[in-house]
Amino acid sequence: MNKNIRKWMAMLLVCTAAFLLPANAFAAEGGEAQPENSDAAGTEQLEGDMSGAGQQPGSDAAAGEAVDASGQEGEVTEPITKEDKPYLALGANLTAEQQSVVLGLLGINPAELAEYDVIYVTNEEEHQYLGNYVDASKIGTRSLSSVLVVKRDQGHGINITTKNISYCTIGMYKNALITAGITDADIIVAAPTPISGTAALVGAMKAYSDMTGETVTEESMDTALNELVLTGELAKEVGDSEKAEELVAYLKQEVLSRELSSEGEIKKVIDEACDEFDLSLSEEQAQRLTGLMQKIGDLDLDLDSIRNQAEELYDRLSDIDAEGWLDKIGGFFRSIVDFVKGLFS
């Protein structure tokens, strides 16, 4: 090939690659981008609260020592103090040692506990609200999950941090809390040892209701817990908690915005969503999801909150997809560089 022609081709290829690549595509290599607040535990079996395991012999929590909560999910960026007038919902069966650990994780000085508004979540309440969706033997005999809730200004949204919660993800909590009619709050969920955290939703709803005076109806609470458990089961079965969260958020938005109510209409939307998100559900899963969406359609929910939550999940997954796209483009660029080197070799 003529030397001048080879140079011209090389310049053309380099310019084409530079045009296609955004500036941040030239970032250093060496690691994969991880989705923010990813939680692989969303695909694990229920444990702790749902099995009655609770405190493990020989654990740090059993000894009353500080628990290493590193790697936890977190969206609450500002400390919640007593001046914020938060409400605290404690598991009624925490031992003194466990309670000390939980308070530490929530950022509360045990000596100042009397200065907080405190309510307790009992095991009987867990059975009352979770019993329709989880076998009684898995709910166990002790209530351990605890929650700190503070009301924020309108438009703040729901921000959640979890500590020692091994099953419920932030997306699962958010979806369910919005279904319960809760908006604009900072929430920290904590446990003395890694447990499922499913029962903590009861505490969050009770604390929010007492704090604001806004009643969380029995229907809303039941539907929210139904959603939390079903989302967790779907996450385990499809092997992707984020896709399960996104699917449920999308369906809620579609059902409410289009005012769908019949079983046939909702099933059709579920089928379309599964194609969109590349998911395969069994007939039983689709049926249970249909039943949940019918219950959600009967609630008086804030469509804007539902839509905002769905869009937040879409944005998060779009960012993850973009990282994958950049990896592919980066590979393409490296191939061009190799090709150009070959032209001059």
Side-chain angles (χ1 to χ4, degrees), residues 85-89 117-119 121 147-159 176-187 200-217 220-221 302 305:
K85 301 188 182 303
Y87 264 65
L88 176 62
D117 290 303
V118 183
I119 59 176
V121 180
V147 186
L148 187 66
V149 182
V150 62
K151 177 66 175 173
R152 297 302 190 190
D153 294 335
Q154 185 174 358
H156 179 83
I158 298 177
N159 294 307
L177 288 169
I178 290 172
T179 293
I182 293 174
T183 59
D184 304 314
D186 282 344
I187 299 170
L201 189 63
V202 177
M205 291 186 286
K206 282 186 62 177
Y208 186 88
S209 180
D210 283 9
M211 177 177 58
T212 63
E214 300 173 10
T215 302
V216 179
T217 67
S220 296
M221 189 174 290
D302 179 11
S305 295

Side-chain angles (χ1 to χ4, degrees), residues 5 14 23 89 100 107 114 126 135 190 202 209 232 272 288 303 318 320 331:
I5 294 177
V14 171
S100 179
E126 293 180 29
D135 186 84
V202 177
S209 180
E272 292 171 352
R288 292 169 64 195
L303 181 56
S318 295
I320 296 168

Side-chain angles (χ1 to χ4, degrees), residues 89-216:
L90 288 172
N93 300 114
L94 290 168
T95 66
E97 291 82 5
Q98 289 174 326
Q99 180 171 296
S100 179
V101 170
V102 166
L103 292 177
L105 293 174
L106 295 174
I108 296 174
N109 182 345
E112 299 177 348
L113 182 59
E115 300 178 37
Y116 287 79
D117 290 303
V118 183
I119 59 176
Y120 292 88
V121 180
T122 68
N123 187 248
E124 288 74 22
E125 287 174 311
E126 293 180 29
H127 281 271
Q128 175 187 347
Y129 293 111
L130 288 166
N132 291 331
Y133 310 109
V134 180
D135 186 84
S137 64
K138 292 185 178 180
I139 298 175
T141 59
R142 290 181 291 175
S143 178
L144 302 174
S145 298
S146 301
V147 186
L148 187 66
V149 182
V150 62
K151 177 66 175 173
R152 297 302 190 190
D153 294 335
Q154 185 174 358
H156 179 83
I158 298 177
N159 294 307
I160 300 171
T161 287
T162 64
K163 302 185 179 185
N164 277 333
I165 301 301
S166 63
Y167 181 79
C168 293
T169 66
I170 283 178
M172 288 165 62
Y173 278 131
K174 276 191 177 181
N175 272 338
L177 288 169
I178 290 172
T179 293
I182 293 174
T183 59
D184 304 314
D186 282 344
I187 299 170
I188 303 176
V189 184
T193 55
I195 56 179
S196 70
T198 309
L201 189 63
V202 177
M205 291 186 286
K206 282 186 62 177
Y208 186 88
S209 180
D210 283 9
M211 177 177 58
T212 63
E214 300 173 10
T215 302
V216 179

Side-chain angles (χ1 to χ4, degrees), residues 48 51 56 65 104 126 214 244 253-254 259 303 306 312 340:
S51 67
Q56 300 299 318
E65 299 172 1
E126 293 180 29
E214 300 173 10
Q253 175 188 254
E254 289 295 292
E259 298 182 348
L303 181 56
I306 299 292
E312 179 181 318
V340 171

